[in-house]
């Protein structure tokens, strides 16, 4: 959920105390989601590069930021994406300009540990926000994000999204200056091909700005050079992660209809047809590219004569899938209904189509990306409030496993578990025993102790369910194929007992343009 204290920091330096809560709520709604913050990073050791005057304050901030959350269950509900903000005290001087690269890396290091409302926000994030209040500072922050976020950190793009989403909106002059500094075109996309982090980060920045600046500002940013750059990044010689984020950036620019027309006229669909063949690739990075390419071809950049995926996918063996009618608004679901992905800055959730009231049930999830997802069990009463940050495990009617932050979530409170961090290709198992009133979570066959908190609120009506942070993806197996790590206890599978009609299995593309409808119907 949105943490008002964090949002209030944006205005605490210039308004009286009586207006803080009202404006905090307004800004929280404006920023939109709990997007990608308290859901990331590893340990926290924040450095201070300012002068001697700030040394005492910096040491205090370092001590606060490096504190590890206690092992017990928290007493306060948490925001799984954004930590609370703390404004400067009435006698605290404005912080001096910092080493921007160091502050960005500090934020990346600390962000995964921020799960409690009562935790202090990282000193590095507060300082970056203050710097970004001027055009010069905002440009410094953006260039640093492009320059220093490492390729190998799976939460790097989400931190880019978080920091840009937290910074003030750029002015028209700042955007123009950024365009001049980057000077993007097709030739630039071919430079430094041996160092793909720069291009991945550039595309992530462009995608985030396109999402924030929908409308005329997005059209103004989307220059011919940027289009040429992103299309060049989609070529097969590019690193797959560069291709992935270039495609996501194009998707987000296409949220504005004029940009969408411009992109469609570039023959992008011809490139995507090649890339969609990667949707089942054993390389999990290529698989993400294939998933997004296929989704774009079905939903955004249609190719004349190409059959839509839902029209040709074989669903004969599938009797349970993710419910496209019981999902938050921005989650992408594959045409076979078993794979889901979030590329929005919100916390997207979904339930499956089958509900259970008694017995022992099991399903598995294959981890495609190793960032923050909360996966488990939820009833119909569980809330999906993506812009306010509610997902699975954030109320009394659901319980979730979080393999990135190594936590179990129930009623917006967490406790640590003993599994290692999950990684791409891992298999997470979910056993629900309604006879014994317990849930058991497995990682590659290794089980945790049972959980039973949710049964104090509800004892029936459970669905498999999941919530996704930005740029996360996984695949579900409800029993249509053999399980990798079936538990030793006797259990049932959704696929053995559920039933869907042929019409109920169809996951239709999102139709928003009358012209697209004509293309799809062959008119």
């Amino acid at each position: 959920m949105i943490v008002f204290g964090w949002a209030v920091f944006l205005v605490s330096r210039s308004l009286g105390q009586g207006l803080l809560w009202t404006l905090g709520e307004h800004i929280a709604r404006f920023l939109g989601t709990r997007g990608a913050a308290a859901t990331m990073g590893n340990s926290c050791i924040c450095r201070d590069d300012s002068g001697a005057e700030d040394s005492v304050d910096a040491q205090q901030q370092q001590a606060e930021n490096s504190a590890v959350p206690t092992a017990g269950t928290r007493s306060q509900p948490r925001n799984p994406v954004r930590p609370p903000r703390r404004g400067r005290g009435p006698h605290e001087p404005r912080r001096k300009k910092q080493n921007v690269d160091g502050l960005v890396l500090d934020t990346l290091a600390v962000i995964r540990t921020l799960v409690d409302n009562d935790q202090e926000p990282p000193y590095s994030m507060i300082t970056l926000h203050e710097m970004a209040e001027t055009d010069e500072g905002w440009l410094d922050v953006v260039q640093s994000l492009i320059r220093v976020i490492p390729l190998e950190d799976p939460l790097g793009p989400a931190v880019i999204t978080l920091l840009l989403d937290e910074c003030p909106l750029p002015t028209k002059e700042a955007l123009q200056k950024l365009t001049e500094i980057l000077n993007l075109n097709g030739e630039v996309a071919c430079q430094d091909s041996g160092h793909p982090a720069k291009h991945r980060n550039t595309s992530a920045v462009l995608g985030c700005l396109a999402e924030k600046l929908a409308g005329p500002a997005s059209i103004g940013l989307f220059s011919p050079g940027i289009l040429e750059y992103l299309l060049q990044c989609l070529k097969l010689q590019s690193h797959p992660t560069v291709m992935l984020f270039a495609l996501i950036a194009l998707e987000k620019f296409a949220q504005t209809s004029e940009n969408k027309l411009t992109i469609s006229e570039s023959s992008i669909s011809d490139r995507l047809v090649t890339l969609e063949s990667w949707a089942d690739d054993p390389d999990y990075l290529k698989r993400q590219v294939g998933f997004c390419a296929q989704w774009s071809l079905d939903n955004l950049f249609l190719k004349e004569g190409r059959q839509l995926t839902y029209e040709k996918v074989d669903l004969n063996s599938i009797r349970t899938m993710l419910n496209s009618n019981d999902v938050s608004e921005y989650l992408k679901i594959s045409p076979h209904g078993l794979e889901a992905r979030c590329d929005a800055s919100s916390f997207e959730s979904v339930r499956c189509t089958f509900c259970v009231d008694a017995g022992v049930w099991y399903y598995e999830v294959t981890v495609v990306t190793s960032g923050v997802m909360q996966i488990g069990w939820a009833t119909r009463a569980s809330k999906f409030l993506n812009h306010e940050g509610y997902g699975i495990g954030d109320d009394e009617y659901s319980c979730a496993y979080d393999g990135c932050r190594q936590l179990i979530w129930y009623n917006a409170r967490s406790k640590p578990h003993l599994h290692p961090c999950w990684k791409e290709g891992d298999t997470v198992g979910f056993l629900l025993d309604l006879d014994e009133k317990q849930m058991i979570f497995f990682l590659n066959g290794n089980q945790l102790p049972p959980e039973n908190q949710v049964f104090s609120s509800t004892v029936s009506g459970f669905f498999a369910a999941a919530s996704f942070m930005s740029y996360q993806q996984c695949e579900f197996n409800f029993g249509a194929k053999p399980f990798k790590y079936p538990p030793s206890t006797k259990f049932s599978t959704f696929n053995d007992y559920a039933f869907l009609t042929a019409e109920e299995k169809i996951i239709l593309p999102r139709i928003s343009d009358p012209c697209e409808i004509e293309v799809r119907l062959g008119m």
Side-chain angles (χ1 to χ4, degrees):
M1 62 200 71
I2 295 298
V3 180
F4 293 146
W6 180 239
V8 164
F9 170 76
L10 295 173
V11 293
S12 62
R13 287 164 300 190
S14 58
L15 295 180
Q17 186 67 34
L19 294 175
L20 290 181
W21 289 107
T22 301
L23 281 173
E25 294 179 10
H26 172 74
I27 293 172
R29 288 194 298 269
F30 176 72
L31 290 175
T33 75
R34 75 179 186 180
T39 54
M40 303 167 279
N42 255 329
S43 61
C44 170
I45 302 177
C46 296
R47 346 180 246 281
D48 172 51
D49 297 311
S50 61
E53 294 177 352
D54 293 330
S55 60
V56 175
D57 179 67
Q59 291 171 7
Q60 179 181 357
Q61 288 293 332
Q62 290 176 6
E64 292 169 343
N65 289 342
S66 60
V68 177
T70 60
T73 301
R74 296 179 295 105
S75 61
Q76 297 291 329
R78 69 81 173 88
N79 173 353
V81 183
R82 288 194 174 88
R85 281 200 178 113
R86 180 185 69 82
R88 289 181 295 116
H91 305 296
E92 184 179 357
R94 176 176 290 275
R95 296 173 178 85
K96 292 184 178 181
K97 184 173 181 178
Q98 305 288 297
N99 178 313
V100 186
D101 290 355
L103 292 169
V104 168
L105 292 175
D106 283 342
T107 301
L108 179 61
V110 68
I111 209 69
R112 186 180 278 121
T113 67
L114 297 174
V115 295
D116 285 328
N117 250 9
D118 52 2
Q119 280 182 262
E120 284 288 322
Y123 173 77
S124 54
M125 186 178 288
I126 294 174
T127 308
L128 287 168
H129 181 274
E130 288 190 352
M131 294 177 62
E133 290 176 345
T134 67
D135 284 3
E136 179 184 2
W138 184 85
L139 289 166
D140 287 341
V141 171
V142 171
Q143 292 178 84
S144 179
L145 292 172
I146 293 173
R147 186 168 54 242
V148 304
I149 295 290
L151 187 72
E152 62 274 9
D153 194 314
L155 294 174
V159 169
I160 291 174
T161 298
L162 162 71
L163 288 175
L164 288 182
D165 203 36
E166 287 296 327
C167 287
L169 282 171
T171 64
K172 181 178 180 180
E173 291 74 20
L175 286 174
Q176 178 62 36
K177 183 65 175 177
L178 178 64
T179 302
E180 295 172 359
I181 292 172
L182 297 179
N183 192 27
L184 297 177
N185 53 51
E187 184 178 347
V188 171
C190 298
Q191 297 171 0
D192 299 324
S193 58
H195 303 281
K198 173 184 175 182
H199 296 300
R200 191 276 309 269
N201 296 344
T202 299
S203 295
V205 165
L206 292 173
C208 183
L209 292 176
E211 189 172 23
K212 285 173 66 73
L213 302 170
S218 177
I219 295 170
L221 176 63
F222 194 52
S223 65
I226 286 179
L227 173 61
E228 184 182 325
Y229 173 84
L230 293 173
L231 291 175
Q232 183 65 37
C233 287
L234 285 180
K235 291 194 173 180
L236 292 175
Q237 59 265 37
S238 298
H239 191 285
T241 193
V242 175
M243 302 169 74
L244 175 64
F245 282 89
L247 177 52
I248 292 170
L250 288 166
E251 287 181 9
K252 293 185 177 183
F253 274 114
Q255 291 173 1
T256 301
S257 56
E258 185 172 326
N259 288 340
K260 182 178 179 181
L261 179 60
T262 301
I263 297 168
S264 299
E265 291 174 346
S266 70
S267 300
I268 186 176
S269 58
D270 293 335
R271 305 188 189 199
L272 298 183
V273 166
T274 300
L275 297 180
E276 75 168 324
S277 65
W278 290 2
D280 297 315
D281 198 284
D283 182 311
Y284 287 99
L285 189 52
K286 287 186 175 181
R287 179 170 172 169
Q288 294 177 65
V289 176
F291 181 99
C292 291
Q294 185 178 85
W295 191 90
S296 291
L297 284 167
D298 285 339
N299 291 272
L300 289 174
F301 310 124
L302 305 183
K303 180 174 175 60
E304 187 175 357
R306 173 187 175 272
Q307 191 176 17
L308 294 174
T309 310
Y310 84 90
E311 297 173 327
K312 57 185 178 181
V313 65
D314 182 6
L315 302 176
N316 288 327
S317 65
I318 296 175
R319 298 181 180 89
T320 302
M321 56 175 52
L322 301 176
N323 193 341
S324 60
N325 296 314
D326 190 12
V327 61
S328 52
E329 57 191 315
Y330 299 122
L331 192 68
K332 301 174 179 177
I333 299 178
S334 65
H336 56 57
L338 297 176
E339 196 159 357
R341 178 180 177 87
C342 173
D343 286 315
S345 59
S346 45
F347 199 55
E348 301 296 308
S349 301
V350 65
R351 275 179 283 254
C352 75
T353 56
F354 188 63
C355 173
V356 295
D357 295 309
V360 182
W361 303 87
Y362 179 77
Y363 75 94
E364 287 183 344
V365 163
T366 298
V367 177
V368 177
T369 58
S370 57
V372 173
M373 296 177 281
Q374 293 174 202
I375 312 173
W377 302 94
T379 70
R380 182 75 69 186
S382 184
K383 306 177 186 70
F384 288 176
L385 301 175
N386 54 339
H387 293 298
E388 296 179 27
Y390 284 95
I392 309 307
D394 290 337
D395 55 37
E396 65 269 37
Y397 304 107
S398 61
C399 184
Y401 178 95
D402 176 348
C404 178
R405 292 174 293 178
Q406 299 169 275
L407 298 171
I408 301 295
W409 291 101
Y410 167 69
N411 203 16
R413 295 172 174 86
S414 68
K415 66 178 183 179
H417 62 66
L418 298 178
H419 281 165
C421 292
W422 59 21
K423 59 186 183 298
E424 292 85 353
D426 279 350
T427 299
V428 187
F430 302 85
L431 184 76
L432 174 65
D433 187 338
L434 291 170
D435 300 329
E436 298 295 330
K437 293 183 173 54
Q438 62 183 16
M439 298 176 178
I440 301 177
F441 302 109
F442 302 78
L443 180 65
N444 298 326
N446 180 24
Q447 76 175 63
L448 293 174
E451 301 291 335
N452 55 20
Q453 311 99 309
V454 70
F455 295 102
S456 63
S457 300
T458 184
V459 295
S460 63
F462 286 97
F463 299 80
S467 299
F468 301 76
M469 196 191 76
S470 303
Y471 313 122
Q472 301 309 310
Q473 179 176 336
C474 69
E475 182 184 20
F476 293 76
N477 178 11
F478 298 122
K481 60 184 179 181
F483 293 118
K484 292 183 180 179
Y485 300 96
S488 57
T489 187
K490 185 179 180 180
F491 63 88
S492 301
T493 73
F494 289 2
N495 218 61
D496 288 339
Y497 288 86
F499 174 78
L500 293 171
T501 66
E503 291 74 20
E504 289 172 332
K505 293 181 182 182
I506 295 175
I507 298 179
L508 291 171
R510 298 170 185 171
I511 301 175
S512 58
D513 187 334
C515 296
E516 291 180 9
I517 298 175
E518 293 182 4
V519 171
R520 290 172 180 174
L521 296 178
M523 298 172 62

